[in-house]
Amino acid sequence: MSNNKKQFSLSLLVRILLATLVLVSIGVFANSIMRYNELLEEQQELEKKLSSYQEMKEELAELLDSEQDPEYIIKIAKEQLGLYFPDEEIYYNDRNE
């Protein structure tokens, strides 16, 4: 009878260990999925930053290559610095589209 009782308690112990192992595995898997999603979001943000930096690099390369081109200097002055000629008429549209 004690042999049967030992087998029952051993079987119960194995079941508890297996259940614990399954629960821990599920927790680790869920944590891995959440971390994966966080890394995907971070990757998308970094790709956007990379794209904007590449555009900036191209603009700066164009600036270096242009040297003293007057049309390019005027274009940059208007677009990035907001400068205009004194006799130039400027129209603003403040309405929301």
Side-chain angles (χ1 to χ4, degrees):
M1 181 117 182
S2 80
N3 196 13
N4 194 14
K5 190 173 182 181
K6 284 182 183 180
Q7 186 178 6
F8 176 74
S9 73
L10 183 61
S11 173
L12 181 62
L13 183 62
V14 169
R15 288 180 187 174
I16 291 172
L17 287 175
L18 285 175
T20 304
L21 181 64
V22 168
L23 291 175
V24 168
S25 298
I26 290 172
V28 168
F29 181 71
N31 189 26
S32 297
I33 289 175
M34 290 189 307
R35 179 69 177 141
Y36 176 76
N37 288 333
E38 290 173 4
L39 290 173
L40 280 179
E41 290 176 11
E42 185 178 345
Q43 179 185 10
Q44 291 172 350
E45 291 174 15
L46 290 173
E47 286 175 353
K48 287 179 185 177
K49 284 183 181 180
L50 177 63
S51 175
S52 68
Y53 287 141
Q54 286 174 340
E55 289 175 10
M56 188 184 306
K57 177 186 169 190
E58 291 171 4
E59 290 175 8
L60 291 173
E62 185 178 330
L63 178 62
L64 282 175
D65 293 340
S66 69
E67 292 182 18
Q68 298 296 324
D69 182 22
E71 290 180 22
Y72 184 76
I73 293 171
I74 292 170
K75 175 184 166 192
I76 293 298
K78 287 181 178 183
E79 289 178 0
Q80 296 186 6
L81 301 175
L83 301 176
Y84 297 94
F85 290 107
D87 59 343
E88 192 172 5
E89 293 183 18
I90 303 166
Y91 299 97
Y92 292 100
N93 183 3
D94 292 339
R95 293 190 300 171
N96 294 335
E97 294 182 34

